[in-house]
Amino acid sequence: MSALLWVAAVAITTVLIRERYRAAMSGGIGGDFSIYLQAARQVAAGHSPYQVNQLFVYPPTLALFLAPFSHLAPTHLWQAWTILELIALVAGVAAFVATQVPMVPSLLRPLLFAFCAVTVLHFWPLTIGLYLGQADAFVFATLMFSVLAACRERPAARGILIGLAGLLKAWPVAVGLSLFQRGTERRLRAVVATVFTILFAPLLAIAFGGASGLMALVKSIVAARTQHLVSDSVWGAPRLLFSHSGLARPLVVSLPLQAVTTVLLLGWVIGLLVITLRTAGDKIMCTWNVTFCIVLILPVSHLAYTLYCLPVLWLWASRILESRRLTWQQFLVPAALFLWWVVQTKAWPDSGSSSSISAVHYCVVFVANLVACTASVVGARFAHLLGPHETDDSAPSQVTLARSS
């Protein structure tokens, strides 16, 4: 029976991969991928990736990775890039299911895999990311494998993978905050591994551009904070709603109202982040709740970044599969997150849409993310406080569970 379910899960995944690939190919070479490729050609020519293209606001890693292939036909590279992204997504799904093996019965694992595959491959933020050729699929998979390393009690590997995610895009290194979760063992080893890995970014910048290359790296990261784009964050939503942003039609123009709303939203999300880090026990839930909070706090949080929030839905769905008796959190939180996913499957206004559209429509994604993050963090906290089996002293580690199964 399990084998038949796995065949069905793989078949469904294959069909969805084919659809996503066709959709990505329908618009020609993605704009973000074109930026990576231009930077790669600079590296291949022995120059800094920041020398010509000021839109390249990432560490040099992506340009270095593409440089050996930059002489090939752009169309072929674009096709290969998209295929690799889809492979990375499936690998991320497989890594997630591997983290749940100690808890989810073997018969239900293909159902969990199929659920994860459907929800990620039928997801508008992912569709947009693939269409543009962004590198988020690779970062997503890297972070997922860092969580798998945490489950297997390999702190150094966890730290290296978090650092590697930061080498692909700068901001994911902030996921390293999850290393400071209450009760985390061998934290120092993971933190040191993260720091040493991320140091390759400035070293690569110096290697390709000297001191000016390092300055260009810093300037590019700072410049990424001020892009004139829709931001689904605590900074972006108030700006759209209460100022002449030029991106949407505001509700009312009021700088005091914008400032107060920003402070309240920032305090809300920082509060969620503190609660998450003070909730001991579940490393996986902590990591993805921290990631969710970071996505909400980023100065420029693109629609495609909602991809990083999806594992929270998967975790709560997994709780349903592993539970013999559902608690209120295990019923209400997954329901709220499933509604969040339904909202996110719709094509809401984003960068490039008409500025005459009301800012309210632009803020739907942010509000849905904020509600979903709050539901997950609060639900996880109550599950920890009310469930004695999840406390530090009585809960067997996932490694112990894996060895005993």
Side-chain angles (χ1 to χ4, degrees), residues 5 112 384:
L5 290 174
L112 180 61
H384 174 73

Side-chain angles (χ1 to χ4, degrees), residues 19 42-43 102 105 198 235 238 246 257 326 384 396:
E19 290 182 359
Q42 291 297 315
V43 170
I198 201 65
W235 316 95
L257 196 54
L326 290 181
H384 174 73

Side-chain angles (χ1 to χ4, degrees), residues 311-331:
V312 171
L313 170 63
W314 298 352
L315 281 168
W316 285 100
S318 178
R319 298 296 181 268
I320 294 176
L321 294 178
E322 70 188 57
S323 297
R324 297 179 181 178
R325 180 177 60 85
L326 290 181
T327 63
W328 67 267
Q329 313 95 278
Q330 292 168 331
F331 175 77

